[in-house]
Structure formats: structure tokens, C-alpha cells
Amino acid sequence: MANSQANLALQALEWYVENGVDEVLSDAPVNRTVMPDLPKREETRPAAANVQTNTPEFLGAAEAKVEALKLAQGAKTLEELADAIRTFDALSIKKTATNMVFSDGNPQAKVMLVGEAPGADEDRQGKPFVGASGQLLDVILSHIGLSRTEENPDKAIYISNILNWRPPGNRTPSPAEIEISQAFIERHIELIQPKVLILCGGVSAKALLGKSEGITKLRGQFQTFKPLVLPSDINIPCIATYHPAYLLRTPAQKGKVWADMLLLKEKLQELGINEG
Ligand code: URA
């Protein structure tokens, strides 16, 4: 009897692993099919004494967007922006993440790349694009003479993501998470002031271009990034391309990314950057 229960448990575990459920979110199981007794709205707000340091975590999406915009606009440096994101509690993905993932590379770089969201490796190390897709990304960038460890701003790259916290189980970021985080990434770009932006993958391209078309339509041509929520008059040439995680699954599309990188190289030469 004990043996058959152990076998059942083992089979269930194998099934979870095969389906990508590789993470535990809490110590006790939660039956999410049962509706909880929801407290009244006033009761969901933390007592004033608990709110001194961080954003209240029970803001609605609209209030959270306003709060994020206020914090983003108030950040005068990268350090202040990182601190603002760290103390902003209205995104529940912060609770399940291990580390905040802010950026990597050279902040003086003329080229900035924006990906989607941290995965498991990035969450563990607190740096963007350090897993398998990051390794492929480094190889792609090296072919056009760019590196995140380079000191020369003309040959360097600076990397961040739309979200700074890993969505549990690497799920796709929700529209609300993207909308709430938009002000932070727009201010991040404004502080870096890159000459050219790479929008890496569909989530990044759609969010920063404010378009609903998929990445297949958005890639392959230079467009202009203009902040959508931040009051700012910057506009930066940008190119969207396929995400390296997609290339790992679909290597036949590598040629398209290569074509995008050649367009990028041409643009850099036009701007007198990295001409070697
Ligand atoms: N994918 C992303 O979009 N960003 C990362 O940092 C890692 C994987």
C-alpha cells in the first residue's frame, strides 16, 4: 500500500517535471479551484504603519501604473531607478523571484538591448541573459563587434528587460505586468540615452513600439522608439528581431536575425559608431 502511494507520488512528480513544473511556490498546497472569502476592499490595504518603505502591494493595475510612472520620473540616476524598482511592491512576481534583474553591460554603450523577462538562470544570478539564450545572444552580438564586457562605448552593449522580476515558471509576462513596468523601462532607456535600440523578441517589440503585430511583422526594418507613457521627447532608432530562445527552438530562423544584425551594423556605420 505504502509502496503504491510512493509510486503514485513518483509518477505525479515525473509528470510535473515533463510539463515544466520545476518550481515550488509555497510550502503548503493551495486549492485554486475554491473561491476564497475576499476581504472588503478597505481591509486589503495594509495599515499605514506598514507602508512607510514600500509601495502598497494591493494597488489595482491602474493605480500601480500611476505609482510606477511617478517613481520612474523621480529617478534621476540608474541607481535611483534600480532602488525605485526594488521598493515597488505592486507587482506580485517580485514575491516569487529570488533576485531583481536590472541590467548588465556598459551603461555608456551606444547600443542598448531590451529583452522580455528574466528566466531561472537570470533570477539566480541577478543579471539578464546569462542562460542558454544569453550565450547565443553573446555570440550573435560578437559577430557585429559588440560585447557586454567592452569598455569602449562604440563596441559595448547595455542589456535590460521589460520586466525586472522572473515570472514564475517562465510564463509569458501578463499584459498588466508589462503595462505596469513600461514606465520603468522607458525611464531606463532615457537614462542610458543609447543611439540605437535592439528590441529582442515579440514582448519587447510590441511593448516599446506600442504595436499589436507579432515579431514576424515588426522585425526586419528600422523603426523609431518614442516613450509611450513617460512624458519625454526622446526618439531612438530601433530594430526588432527574434529572441534567441526562439532561435534555439527554431534554428532555421537564424538567417533572419543575421539579416537584422546586418541592418544594425549598417545603421551603426551611418552614425559613425563601431566602424571597424
Ligand atoms: N530572456 C529574456 O528575454 N531576458 C533574459 O534576461 C533572459 C532570457
Side-chain angles (χ1 to χ4, degrees), residues 101 113-123 127-134 137 148 159-163 170 200-201 203-204 243-245:
V101 176
L113 177 141
V114 181
E116 176 177 321
D121 295 306
E122 290 76 21
D123 181 51
K127 273 193 195 177
F129 283 103
V130 292
S133 55
L137 178 66
R148 59 172 115 187
I159 300 178
S160 190
N161 281 309
I162 298 286
L163 301 191
N170 293 352
C200 188
V203 167
S204 170
H243 195 286

Side-chain angles (χ1 to χ4, degrees), residues 2-256:
N3 230 347
S4 74
Q5 272 180 347
N7 271 340
L8 278 177
L10 197 60
Q11 278 169 22
L13 198 59
E14 279 168 4
W15 185 85
Y16 282 140
V17 171
E18 273 165 22
N19 286 281
V21 183
D22 57 0
E23 200 131 344
V24 176
L25 295 183
S26 64
D27 292 337
V30 178
N31 184 352
R32 301 210 185 269
T33 59
V34 174
M35 274 296 281
D37 288 336
L38 293 175
K40 292 206 190 81
R41 188 169 165 72
E42 314 78 77
E43 290 167 11
T44 63
R45 296 188 172 275
N50 300 334
V51 205
Q52 319 137 359
T53 51
N54 296 347
T55 321
E57 51 184 301
F58 297 106
L59 292 181
E63 291 162 296
K65 277 196 266 178
V66 172
E67 182 64 19
L69 180 59
K70 205 167 83 190
L71 286 171
Q73 283 183 283
K76 301 294 173 232
T77 62
L78 289 176
E79 292 70 29
E80 284 181 17
L81 182 63
D83 284 346
I85 296 171
R86 199 174 289 111
T87 56
F88 180 74
D89 278 343
L91 280 170
S92 61
I93 45 173
K94 174 179 168 181
K95 288 198 212 108
T96 47
T98 309
N99 284 301
M100 180 176 85
V101 176
F102 186 68
S103 69
D104 194 22
N106 183 345
Q108 308 298 326
K110 307 264 174 69
V111 183
M112 176 170 178
L113 177 141
V114 181
E116 176 177 321
D121 295 306
E122 290 76 21
D123 181 51
R124 225 171 283 124
Q125 296 188 38
K127 273 193 195 177
F129 283 103
V130 292
S133 55
Q135 283 161 23
L136 177 55
L137 178 66
D138 285 343
V139 172
I140 294 170
L141 294 172
S142 73
H143 283 299
I144 50 161
L146 296 175
S147 156
R148 59 172 115 187
T149 55
E150 176 63 54
E151 280 180 20
N152 176 352
D154 275 18
K155 297 182 172 177
I157 186 139
Y158 182 81
I159 300 178
S160 190
N161 281 309
I162 298 286
L163 301 191
N164 299 100
W165 307 98
R166 179 195 184 207
N170 293 352
R171 64 160 169 74
T172 303
S174 72
E177 286 161 353
I178 295 171
E179 283 179 29
I180 293 168
S181 307
Q182 184 98 15
F184 292 134
I185 187 62
E186 289 187 358
R187 181 71 182 132
H188 204 155
I189 296 168
E190 194 182 43
L191 286 168
I192 293 294
Q193 297 189 325
K195 298 281 182 252
V196 176
L197 263 178
I198 306 174
L199 311 181
C200 188
V203 167
S204 170
K206 285 197 229 180
L208 294 178
L209 292 169
K211 297 203 171 151
S212 55
E213 289 104 316
I215 184 67
T216 302
K217 290 247 168 71
L218 295 176
R219 60 154 291 278
Q221 73 225 290
F222 260 89
Q223 309 195 48
T224 303
F225 162 74
K226 295 189 181 120
L228 294 161
V229 299
L230 200 72
S232 164
D233 45 18
I234 57 164
N235 54 73
I236 300 173
C238 66
I239 185 145
T241 195
Y242 288 129
H243 195 286
Y246 172 68
L247 292 187
L248 288 172
R249 298 191 302 271
T250 325
Q253 298 290 11
K254 280 186 182 167
K256 302 255 171 56

